[in-house]
Amino acid sequence: MIEKGRLTVRQLASLMFLCTIGEQILVFPSMITSYAHQDAWLSALLGVAGGLGILFIMLVAYKLHPRLNLIQNALRTLGPWIGTLFGSFYLFYFLISTSTFIREIGDFMSTQILPESPLLILHLVFMCALVWGLLSGLESIGKTAEVFLPLIVLFLLILTVCLIPHVRLANIQPVLAQGFLDPFKGFVAVLTYPYCELCIFMMFFPYTKNEPHLKKDILLAGMIGGLLLTLTLSMCLLVMGPWMTQHHWFASFNLSQKINIGNFMQRIEAFIASVWIIAVFFKAALFFYGFVLGLAHLFRLSSHRSLILPGAMLILAMSILISPNENFYLKVVIPYWIDWDLTCGIALPLLLILVHHMKSRFKKYSKIPN
């Protein structure tokens, strides 16, 4: 086995929580509100329940061959030719996703925090941190996630508590004024972005210590992460209203700028920015790790470490080329990303399960004597 590191179930759950909120902690409110408007909170709440179903599908696909990651599973189930095409599709998805996460970091920093800094330099600094994390190994990434998790939850709870005086229930009324179609669109978006992207964990389930509560902790981490996103979205709607939430791409960051308690506790948006950067770091690190690890398995290399630096240079270039500007990313990339996420998070794992059971049934019938 190429990867020698092992994660505890708690470390895996911490990583899953951080990947669930990931880059969504800033962009989730705007994205879902653009579909469901004042009913976005309802879409998010229902989406959490649907997201648990997606995680269950991924766990079933993993259980087909518990010692194999996603790429190995595809090669074993689908054969060398179709399995290679299947694995290559996922590797390209991991590559583009990592590049997109880095681009989101660059766009956020260059527009909100460091407007005078060149985009390429911001990407390069973040990429250096990713390379360092991957060279440290999977266990180090898991242990670091375990350390940062309480800090992130604390910051988000502080944000929520400090905004309670600004809450206006009229901002989410009337409920279902436009019918069920818009909330349903928001529900599909919730399934797509936080949950379908968790398919990356099918690369890391085999490197987790087998404990009895593995399945329960994975589902619990996904549920808590989704509920925290729902809470953040609800606060954006209750404080800013649906129109402002929809038209601020980094809505929760703008929300944190409204905090002012006795002219003493204010300007804490840097804490929210830190939460987001930390969460995106772990999500990008896992997608980057999944890319180089899957590539090593696909080409039957003895180690993935030699691919980290070339992979970093490729991702760095792709992060610039993926979009000429932020508007192109918002208008062109995101609408098509839903289809890609649904394919990788639901359709292809279901295909693996279906083919595996068909092959098992065929072998069973072929052994029956005439």
Side-chain angles (χ1 to χ4, degrees), residues 91-110:
L91 292 180
F92 184 67
Y93 172 68
F94 296 158
L95 170 66
I96 297 299
S97 296
T98 310
S99 304
T100 303
F101 300 148
I102 293 175
R103 181 56 182 262
E104 288 177 344
I105 283 282
D107 285 340
F108 172 73
M109 295 296 290
S110 61

Side-chain angles (χ1 to χ4, degrees), residues 72-361:
Q72 294 172 301
N73 193 342
L75 292 171
R76 173 74 64 86
T77 304
L78 303 176
W81 293 101
I82 299 178
T84 298
L85 291 175
F86 185 97
S88 299
F89 183 83
Y90 267 106
L91 292 180
F92 184 67
Y93 172 68
F94 296 158
L95 170 66
I96 297 299
S97 296
T98 310
S99 304
T100 303
F101 300 148
I102 293 175
R103 181 56 182 262
E104 288 177 344
I105 283 282
D107 285 340
F108 172 73
M109 295 296 290
S110 61
T111 57
Q112 304 292 329
I113 306 294
L114 301 170
E116 301 298 326
S117 300
L119 187 64
L120 180 61
I121 299 302
L122 295 172
H123 289 189
L124 182 61
V125 171
F126 193 72
M127 180 54 70
C128 289
L130 284 178
V131 170
W132 184 23
L134 263 66
L135 289 174
S136 299
L138 185 61
E139 287 186 15
S140 297
I141 294 174
K143 291 175 181 177
T144 309
E146 205 173 2
V147 171
F148 276 110
L149 178 63
L151 189 64
I152 289 176
V153 174
L154 177 63
F155 283 164
L156 292 176
L157 290 179
I158 289 174
L159 172 68
T160 302
V161 171
C162 291
L163 287 169
I164 288 177
H166 301 278
V167 166
R168 299 292 181 269
L169 289 176
N171 287 333
I172 60 172
Q173 296 173 346
V175 178
L176 297 176
Q178 306 297 325
F180 291 93
L181 181 59
D182 288 344
F184 178 75
K185 292 178 181 177
F187 167 75
V188 174
V190 174
L191 292 183
T192 302
Y193 292 108
Y195 287 106
C196 285
E197 291 179 355
L198 296 179
C199 64
I200 185 62
F201 282 91
M202 296 172 68
M203 291 293 299
F204 300 105
F205 285 150
Y207 311 121
T208 305
K209 296 177 181 177
N210 192 12
E211 299 179 21
H213 49 89
L214 172 64
K215 179 180 175 181
K216 182 187 72 174
D217 286 2
I218 287 173
L219 294 175
L220 189 61
M223 183 183 71
I224 294 175
L227 290 176
L228 199 56
L229 286 177
T230 302
L231 178 62
T232 304
L233 166 61
S234 300
M235 292 304 297
C236 288
L237 288 173
L238 290 167
V239 175
M240 299 170 62
W243 194 91
M244 292 292 289
T245 301
Q246 178 180 345
H247 290 86
H248 281 88
W249 179 232
F250 304 114
S252 57
F253 180 78
N254 298 108
L255 184 68
S256 63
Q257 293 176 327
K258 295 182 176 292
I259 295 176
N260 185 355
I261 299 178
N263 291 324
F264 170 72
M265 190 173 183
Q266 54 185 334
R267 303 290 296 177
I268 68 167
E269 59 268 18
F271 289 107
I272 301 303
S274 301
V275 167
W276 187 66
I277 291 171
I278 292 169
V280 174
F281 169 81
F282 285 104
K283 191 168 185 178
L286 288 183
F287 271 83
F288 187 10
Y289 215 134
F291 172 66
V292 296
L293 189 62
L295 208 58
H297 280 294
L298 200 62
F299 290 98
R300 299 182 181 180
L301 303 179
S302 59
S303 174
H304 65 280
R305 295 178 66 87
S306 60
L307 299 174
I308 293 177
L309 192 57
M313 291 189 288
L314 177 61
I315 291 169
L316 185 63
M318 289 295 294
S319 67
I320 300 295
L321 297 175
I322 197 170
S323 172
N325 52 57
E326 188 176 350
N327 287 331
F328 178 88
Y329 175 76
L330 295 176
K331 299 295 183 182
V332 178
V333 176
I334 285 183
Y336 292 100
W337 202 277
I338 291 180
D339 300 329
W340 204 2
D341 276 353
L342 289 174
T343 302
C344 292
I346 300 177
L348 294 184
L350 284 175
L351 176 64
L352 275 181
I353 296 169
L354 178 63
V355 172
H356 176 81
H357 286 296
M358 288 177 63
K359 289 175 67 176
S360 299
R361 182 167 296 184

